[in-house]
């Protein structure tokens, strides 16, 4: 077995994270810029935290070039709200475009061709083409530093869930109909098209 210390450069640690923790779900986070325009970006360091209150968490990492905060956390700290949109195979190309590092204030909805629609409880828009939306109110922030590669946890309370009828059956989201897409190592994306079931005795 090979063994590695983690006190080298952040890029090496990053490779172990993205090569080990997979497939990762993808949160496509929409927020509002200071001038009222939209911002959209995908984040695969993303998970569920609590059912009630319903809390989710994701981790924007400081920019590799200069350690600066990405636009998404910058907007969330000011506006205190955001929307998480989920990814299916049909919108992978467009979602990938939203990861482009545009100058602050430029709208990734326009760049990607995704369609913004109004939310009910927050100002941030939802992505029409996404089958599930979580409207979130900012809850907590934990930062692990200001250098390039340092991450932070942002949690949000989900105050409204929207699910497209086409993937909702018998009171739950049907995984096969949803057909979510995950993130792998490097530039890999992963289709969830080989599901199996295991029941538990207790
Ligand atoms: C599928 C995918 C997942 C990503 N996950 C993350 C992540 O978890 N954390 C992160 O900091 N950047 C992640 N990125 C890169 C950001 O999306 C990218 O830096 C983006 O430009 C940030 O946008 P913003 O400045 O508008 O917030 C991911 C990119 C892709 C394509």
């Amino acid at each position: 077995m090979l063994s590695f210390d983690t006190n080298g450069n952040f890029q090496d640690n990053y490779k172990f994270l993205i090569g080990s923790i997979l497939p990762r779900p993808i949160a496509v986070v929409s927020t509002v810029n200071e001038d009222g325009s939209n911002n959209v970006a995908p984040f695969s360091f993303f998970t569920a935290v609590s059912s009630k209150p319903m809390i989710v968490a994701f981790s924007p990492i400081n920019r590799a070039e200069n350690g600066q905060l990405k636009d998404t956390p910058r907007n969330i700290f000011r506006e205190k709200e955001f929307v998480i949109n989920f990814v299916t195979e049909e919108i992978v190309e467009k979602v990938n475009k939203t990861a482009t590092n545009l100058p602050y204030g430029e709208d990734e909805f326009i760049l990607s061709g995704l369609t913004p629609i109004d939310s009910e409880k927050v100002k941030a828009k939802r992505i029409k083409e996404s089958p599930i939306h979580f409207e979130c109110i900012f809850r907590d922030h934990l930062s692990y530093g200001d250098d390039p590669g340092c991450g932070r946890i942002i949690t949000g309370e989900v105050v409204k869930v929207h699910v497209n009828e086409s993937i909702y059956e018998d009171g739950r989201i049907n995984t096969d109909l949803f057909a979510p897409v995950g993130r792998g190592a490097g530039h890999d994306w992963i289709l969830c098209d080989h599901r199996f079931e295991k029941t538990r005795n207790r």
Side-chain angles (χ1 to χ4, degrees), residues 109-161:
F109 272 109
I110 296 171
L111 176 85
S112 64
L114 291 166
T115 314
I117 54 173
D118 284 341
S119 297
E120 284 182 26
K121 298 200 168 182
V122 300
K123 282 189 276 116
K125 303 284 183 188
R126 297 181 283 141
I127 296 175
K128 188 179 174 196
E129 293 81 359
S130 165
I132 308 172
H133 313 128
F134 287 177
E135 295 188 28
C136 299
I137 303 293
F138 170 61
R139 283 286 295 248
D140 317 283
H141 172 222
L142 262 181
S143 167
Y144 297 99
D146 299 320
D147 291 332
C150 290
R152 59 195 65 249
I153 296 175
I154 291 178
T155 69
E157 178 165 352
V158 183
V159 291
K160 196 90 192 182
V161 174

Side-chain angles (χ1 to χ4, degrees), residues 131 161 163-174 177-178:
V161 174
V163 182
N164 195 305
E165 297 87 338
S166 63
I167 65 163
Y168 198 70
E169 245 181 21
D170 303 328
R172 67 188 61 193
I173 294 166
N174 178 307
L177 295 173
F178 174 20

Side-chain angles (χ1 to χ4, degrees), residues 63-151:
R63 292 189 193 284
E65 323 78 82
N66 51 19
Q68 277 176 4
L69 211 54
K70 293 188 177 177
D71 298 346
T72 300
R74 179 173 166 184
N75 287 341
I76 291 173
F77 296 150
R78 189 187 60 255
E79 301 292 330
K80 316 282 186 219
E81 43 140 89
F82 56 98
V83 175
I84 290 184
N85 306 271
F86 289 77
V87 188
T88 59
E89 196 177 353
E90 291 104 75
I91 59 171
V92 160
E93 284 302 326
K94 291 179 175 174
V95 166
N96 197 31
K97 283 189 186 159
T98 69
T100 311
N101 186 6
L102 293 179
Y104 184 74
E106 285 191 26
D107 184 339
E108 286 91 359
F109 272 109
I110 296 171
L111 176 85
S112 64
L114 291 166
T115 314
I117 54 173
D118 284 341
S119 297
E120 284 182 26
K121 298 200 168 182
V122 300
K123 282 189 276 116
K125 303 284 183 188
R126 297 181 283 141
I127 296 175
K128 188 179 174 196
E129 293 81 359
S130 165
I132 308 172
H133 313 128
F134 287 177
E135 295 188 28
C136 299
I137 303 293
F138 170 61
R139 283 286 295 248
D140 317 283
H141 172 222
L142 262 181
S143 167
Y144 297 99
D146 299 320
D147 291 332
C150 290

Side-chain angles (χ1 to χ4, degrees), residues 39 41-45 59-61 63 70-72 99 183 189:
N39 189 84
F43 295 89
S44 68
F45 289 17
S59 301
I61 288 173
R63 292 189 193 284
K70 293 188 177 177
D71 298 346
T72 300
R183 182 70 158 165
W189 298 67

Side-chain angles (χ1 to χ4, degrees), residues 15-39:
K15 282 184 206 157
F16 287 123
L17 290 171
I18 64 169
S20 311
I21 304 173
L22 58 87
R24 297 185 303 286
I26 301 168
V28 187
V29 183
S30 39
T31 52
V32 175
N33 293 321
E34 213 162 347
D35 64 0
S37 61
N38 299 308
N39 189 84

